[in-house]
């Protein structure tokens, strides 16, 4: 019977990382109950897996776009549930996929529920991070370094600076697949504990570099950021000319932890935190949401980034269940401040049930992992289903926002 069972991934078993696939099984017995599984290994060698129980229809078919999972790592109709519900076999691990040249490989399989769970069929999904013709060039110029991703064709294309805490390239190359010239740049070139001050000048150099690229449509640059990178993105918009659009995801409205300098002068003092306010959990990961000092307290006013001076358009994104810090409150503060100054150059999106770690869609949901700056495991927050839905919605929103404010006809067909 197993030889008649077929598992198919439509429209193709090979696709881009941020594209959905339709998972279908045929050749089962009428109303047969089976277990669907997915399995993948991160760049760090950590195994992630998921499973869900399905009942075939009268024709012996299962279609994940139509049929509900009855039990497993998710329940209900979730066409991509096997991907986002994958869990690590080791606690407090995020899915690391930084080698963008190699695809994210996921093994899908269907198994009997009875007995030893014999496998009936399998298929391999190759989820490409870097699309055909996209170039990847490491860059080290002046005081900055990063990786430049450029779409195929003559362009012109809009330019985006992707600020990340360290150096994951996934989001940057996925944006390049969609028709953006993207410079991926880390905040830290050393261990964060060794960084005593940060200089906006090196990020300005990166903006200048992007503006000089021959395929760039105009001289205005977009910036995308999450977490600590958010306050640097805000600062670029406030102090550096040429920034036209900023995506701020679950960041802070103040400069966090380290003073910021520009043109050899300190422009913003740091908002400090107290880890004694961390809340331990039974899992061993801590909730650090309440560790930050209050940016609105009188003694911390000098830490607030003066975004009211910026000419750029802002997309503020906050997750209501962010357990890293109170990003929703920080977003609300910035929105109110801009309104008080008569500004209308912003829009905001809030995601109930989503956690801090918003990524491009269809990767495994990450409830907790090692905090890159604190050096200890923390809870990121979020309910898996709501978080996954937020990632799908946000990814499209980001592209629409950049296309709207970094106008370029050449990219409008890439959505």
């Amino acid at each position: 019977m197993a030889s008649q069972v077929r598992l198919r991934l439509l429209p193709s078993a090979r696709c881009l990382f941020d594209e959905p696939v339709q998972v279908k099984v045929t050749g089962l017995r009428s109303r047969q109950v089976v277990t669907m599984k997915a399995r993948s290994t991160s760049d760090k060698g950590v195994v992630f897996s998921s499973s869900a129980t399905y009942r075939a229809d009268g024709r012996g078919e299962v279609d994940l776009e139509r049929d509900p999972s009855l039990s497993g790592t998710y329940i209900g109709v979730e066409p991509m549930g096997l991907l986002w519900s994958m869990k690590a076999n080791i606690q407090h691990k995020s899915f690391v996929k930084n080698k963008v040249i190699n695809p994210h490989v996921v093994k899908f399989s269907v198994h009997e529920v009875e007995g030893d769970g014999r496998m009936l069929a399998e298929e391999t999904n190759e989820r490409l991070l870097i699309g055909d013709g996209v170039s990847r060039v490491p860059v080290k110029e002046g005081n900055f370094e990063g990786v430049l991703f450029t779409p195929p064709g003559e362009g012109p294309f809009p330019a985006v600076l992707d600020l990340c805490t360290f150096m994951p390239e996934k989001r940057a190359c996925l944006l390049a697949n969609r028709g953006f010239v993207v410079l991926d740049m880390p905040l830290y070139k050393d261990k964060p504990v060794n960084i005593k001050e940060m200089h906006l000048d090196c990020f300005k150099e990166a903006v200048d570099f992007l503006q000089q690229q021959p395929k760039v449509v105009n001289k205005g640059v977009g910036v995308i950021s999450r977490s600590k990178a958010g306050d640097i993105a805000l600062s670029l918009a406030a102090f550096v000319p040429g920034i036209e659009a900023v995506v701020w995801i679950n960041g802070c409205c103040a400069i966090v932890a380290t003073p910021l300098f520009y043109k050899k002068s300190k422009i913003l003092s740091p908002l400090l935190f107290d880890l004694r306010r961390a809340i331990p959990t039974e899992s061993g990961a801590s909730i650090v949401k309440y560790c930050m000092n209050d940016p609105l307290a009188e003694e911390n006013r000098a830490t607030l980034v003066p975004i009211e001076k910026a000419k750029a358009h802002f997309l503020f994104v906050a997750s209501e269940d962010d357990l890293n810090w109170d990003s929703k409150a920080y977003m609300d503060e910035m929105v109110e401040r801009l309104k008080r100054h008569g500004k209308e150059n912003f829009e905001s999106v809030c995601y109930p049930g989503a956690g801090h770690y918003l990524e491009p869609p269809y990767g495994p949901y990450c409830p907790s992992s090692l905090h890159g700056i604190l050096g200890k495991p923390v809870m990121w927050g979020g309910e898996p289903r709501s978080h996954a839905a937020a990632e799908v919605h946000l990814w499209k929103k980001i592209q629409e926002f950049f296309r709207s404010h970094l106008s370029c006809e050449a990219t409008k067909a890439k959505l």
Side-chain angles (χ1 to χ4, degrees), residues 169-188:
E169 299 176 13
K170 178 169 64 178
R171 183 172 64 190
C173 70
L174 291 175
L175 279 174
N177 295 340
R178 302 300 176 186
F180 298 90
V181 173
V182 187
L183 177 62
D184 190 43
M185 181 179 178
L187 292 190
Y188 301 110

Side-chain angles (χ1 to χ4, degrees), residues 11 46 132 189 191 201 215 237 310 321 355 358 402 414:
V46 179
D132 292 340
K189 292 183 285 187
K191 293 181 179 180
D201 308 74
K215 288 188 177 183
D321 196 34
L358 286 174
F402 278 143
K414 292 279 186 177

